[in-house]
Amino acid sequence: MIYKKEYKIEGKIISKDDIVNMINTTLKKMSKYKDVELKIIASFDSGISIEDKNLLIFDNIYFEKKLLQKMYIQIRSDSFNNSVEIWIGGNSSSYNSIEISTNDNYLYDSLCHSFEDSLNLMTNQRKIYLLSNEAWGYLLIYILMLLLEFLLVWSFESILNISIPSFILYFMVLLLPSIMVIYIIKYIQKYYPIIQFNFGETSINKPKKYNGFMIKFIYFVITNIALPIIISLVME
């Protein structure tokens, strides 16, 4: 009988120690099988991939200087049908996973407990990453942007007593929300991806800084909403 289990990895900041501990723990649990093999493949943004059969791969300078895109880790014992495969860092939520397959019931239970503990101990990132990975996230951002535009229109007409031309209103309602959603989603995907790596402060592979978002957002609103309105009124 073959026992199988898949764990999804999502919303985590994964350190080098997290990865090394998962590998070492798995190797230890499978150590009674003499033909256990390890394979690690790391792919970087420059198109470079490196592969090794031991943990010395993490001493490679690429982890300091190159942006890590994804990793594939395989630990298997072919003659006993035991395997663990770990995918980390892909842009799709379906990529980030841990898959266990074994015909040993005791090993299966042990590995399941081990990976559950490992996932629970990983640092969680902010839930904002869900906005760029769930359908409701797109809809929520669109509605918020639409409400923001209505608020601006109301402010101009009710507080400043400035009448906004109809063509500007159509532009704001039909086009601007979509543009703003694309901008915000891309920002979230960049700074709040499904998975983030943390290989230390000296490494390029560490969580990105989020400072400046509100400044960029306000600048976007001014240049793409308020400024066109003001220009149109001046040119009347």
Side-chain angles (χ1 to χ4, degrees), residues 42-50 62 65-70 204:
S43 301
F44 300 86
D45 64 337
S46 56
I48 297 173
S49 292
I50 57 176
Y62 285 145
K65 304 298 183 182
K66 300 292 183 181
L67 193 63
L68 180 61
Q69 286 190 327
K70 57 185 179 181
I204 191 175

Side-chain angles (χ1 to χ4, degrees), residues 63-124:
F63 288 98
E64 291 285 322
K65 304 298 183 182
K66 300 292 183 181
L67 193 63
L68 180 61
Q69 286 190 327
K70 57 185 179 181
M71 293 188 67
Y72 171 69
I73 301 164
Q74 181 188 70
I75 305 171
R76 65 184 303 114
S77 170
D78 287 328
S79 59
F80 293 93
N81 297 318
N82 299 321
S83 70
V84 170
E85 293 182 294
I86 304 172
W87 292 267
I88 309 174
N91 293 325
S92 170
S93 58
S94 61
Y95 182 90
N96 296 283
S97 64
I98 300 170
E99 292 186 7
I100 301 169
S101 178
T102 177
N103 58 5
D104 186 329
N105 184 33
Y106 295 102
L107 177 61
Y108 171 78
D109 289 338
S110 181
L111 288 173
C112 285
H113 289 306
S114 173
F115 284 118
E116 288 167 6
D117 287 342
S118 294
L119 291 173
N120 288 333
L121 290 172
M122 289 178 184
T123 303
N124 294 319

Side-chain angles (χ1 to χ4, degrees), residues 8-14 89-94 96 119 122-141 181 184-196 210 213:
K8 291 297 183 182
I9 310 173
E10 188 175 285
K12 300 292 184 179
I13 300 176
I14 304 178
N91 293 325
S92 170
S93 58
S94 61
N96 296 283
L119 291 173
M122 289 178 184
T123 303
N124 294 319
Q125 60 174 315
R126 299 174 185 177
K127 296 292 185 181
I128 193 172
Y129 77 92
L130 292 170
L131 292 174
S132 64
N133 292 286
E134 300 290 343
W136 58 263
Y138 289 78
L139 180 61
L140 177 61
I141 295 174
V181 167
I184 293 172
I185 290 297
K186 287 189 175 297
Y187 185 93
I188 292 173
Q189 288 174 339
K190 179 178 179 181
Y191 289 96
Y192 298 88
I194 299 172
I195 294 296
Q196 296 189 62
Y210 312 121
F213 173 69

